[in-house]
Amino acid sequence: MHPAKPNILTIAGSDSGGGAGIQADLKTFHALGAHGLTAITAVTSQNTRGVTAIHALPLAHVRSQIETVFDDFPIAAVKTGMLGSAAVTRHVAAQIRRRKPAWLVVDPVMVATTGARLLDDDAMETLLTRLIPLADVLTPNLPEAEALLGRALGRDIDAAGADLLALGARAVLLKGGHGRGAEVVDRFYDAHGMFEVRHPRLPIEGHGSGCTLASAVAAGLARGKSPHASVRAAIAWVDKAFRRGWRPGASAVHVLGH
């Protein structure tokens, strides 16, 4: 018998191109020694060139998926991605309060890399007031951080990090992939302070990196690592996945080598 693997539930959208969303989450969980469970919030039609259609699943079916997996599996961590609407976000928050999983990683997915909007305007307040305060780790990229704060981050990134932490999550991983310069600077903030992880910016356009990084953090937490250790390990692993990436479609976009 093989030793048991921790179960991780991802609540997110499906990417028909296989590079992001539920597909990236499951590949990450598998690679890092966890068993992935899913509650799909939307089915997207997309490839390496963009998103052509989004079909949001009815709330009743999202609810059914979440309740079904929680009723059977001991869930070590939950990771959220594309939630789409205020109703789904509200229900996810209610289920987290009810089920009390040990860890919650919230990736505040709002806009796809290609520009398609993945979160309704009326869902922002629900995300801010109901779900983020329950998060153990919040993982915004730079544009998402600006949307959450309602302002430009400016030059004082640490002040922005403190403001993000004040939204209620126990820790914030501010991802630097959308920044400029020869290095990517990821910043982690919690009640004990902050640390940076710097690594060279690779000359490729990656797809699904945000989903993959948040899922890797969740996998570390599910396997017993601290938030600090989980974040450091996840960043290092995603950097390697970028280096193993390739172009599966007709565009220049790379998918990560999970």
Side-chain angles (χ1 to χ4, degrees), residues 14-251:
S14 170
D15 171 10
S16 59
I22 288 285
Q23 286 79 357
D25 297 341
L26 290 178
K27 287 187 284 187
T28 301
F29 298 155
H30 177 75
L32 295 178
H35 176 62
L37 313 169
T38 65
I40 298 175
T41 59
V43 177
T44 69
S45 301
Q46 62 178 296
N47 53 30
T48 62
R49 297 176 177 178
V51 179
T52 59
I54 299 174
H55 172 67
L57 270 66
L59 176 60
H61 192 61
V62 177
R63 178 189 298 117
S64 175
Q65 293 176 82
I66 295 172
E67 292 181 347
T68 298
V69 294
F70 265 113
D71 286 345
D72 185 46
F73 299 92
I75 295 177
V78 175
K79 178 260 179 183
T80 66
M82 175 188 176
L83 299 178
S85 69
V88 169
T89 306
R90 190 178 303 115
H91 177 71
V92 170
Q95 286 284 359
I96 295 299
R97 287 194 301 269
R98 174 189 172 197
R99 304 287 188 165
K100 295 180 172 57
W103 299 103
L104 172 64
V105 177
V106 173
D107 189 20
V109 175
M110 301 174 191
V111 180
T113 303
T114 54
R117 188 159 184 85
L118 304 177
L119 185 73
D120 292 347
D121 290 336
D122 62 354
M124 178 64 78
E125 182 179 358
T126 306
L127 180 68
L128 287 167
T129 61
R130 300 202 182 200
L131 187 60
I132 287 176
L134 302 175
D136 293 288
V137 184
L138 174 68
T139 65
N141 59 32
L142 298 177
E144 290 163 349
E146 291 183 337
L148 291 172
L149 295 177
R151 62 173 174 81
L153 298 186
R155 294 185 178 182
D156 193 346
I157 298 296
D158 287 341
D163 290 343
L164 288 166
L165 195 60
L167 296 177
R170 290 179 178 84
V172 174
L173 171 57
L174 181 56
K175 300 175 292 191
H178 286 74
R180 297 179 179 179
E183 287 186 315
V184 174
V185 183
D186 298 314
R187 297 174 171 88
F188 178 85
Y189 302 87
D190 67 7
H192 304 290
M194 68 86 65
F195 65 79
E196 293 181 351
V197 179
R198 295 174 175 264
H199 45 97
R201 186 178 301 278
L202 301 176
I204 62 174
E205 182 180 355
H207 182 52
S209 56
C211 306
T212 297
L213 182 55
S215 294
V217 172
L221 295 169
R223 293 184 61 82
K225 294 180 180 178
S226 69
H228 278 218
S230 295
V231 165
R232 288 187 183 277
I235 292 172
W237 185 79
V238 171
D239 184 59
K240 292 180 181 178
F242 259 108
R243 296 175 187 277
R244 295 191 297 262
W246 75 97
R247 292 168 51 187
S251 79

